Amino acid sequence: VPPVEASPPLPPATSETLVPLLVYGPGRVKPIGLSGALTDLSDIFPTLAELAGAELPKDRPIDGVSL
């Protein structure tokens, strides 16, 4: 598998763990086509909370952001 090319270049530990993310949600997720945004597992919780209409906890920091 060829290495992932990013601009600017990412540290080796990061560049080897990038995988595609597919999102499907008719009427809930706006189709934007391809995006160069980098996501992380910490983004899943805020995303699911937003899709469910729930608020994130305010009594602790949340690292991720909703996609």
Side-chain angles (χ1 to χ4, degrees):
V1 175
V4 174
E5 304 245 350
S7 178
L10 300 170
T14 304
S15 65
E16 294 177 16
T17 58
L18 300 178
V19 296
L21 173 66
L22 302 175
V23 178
Y24 179 75
R28 304 205 77 177
V29 177
K30 182 173 121 179
I32 62 168
L34 294 176
S35 170
L38 295 177
T39 62
D40 185 83
L41 187 58
S42 64
D43 299 325
I44 299 300
F45 176 61
T47 302
L48 293 177
E50 181 180 344
L51 289 172
E55 291 189 27
L56 294 174
K58 302 217 186 303
D59 62 339
R60 66 190 78 122
I62 303 295
D63 289 334
V65 296
S66 178
L67 303 174

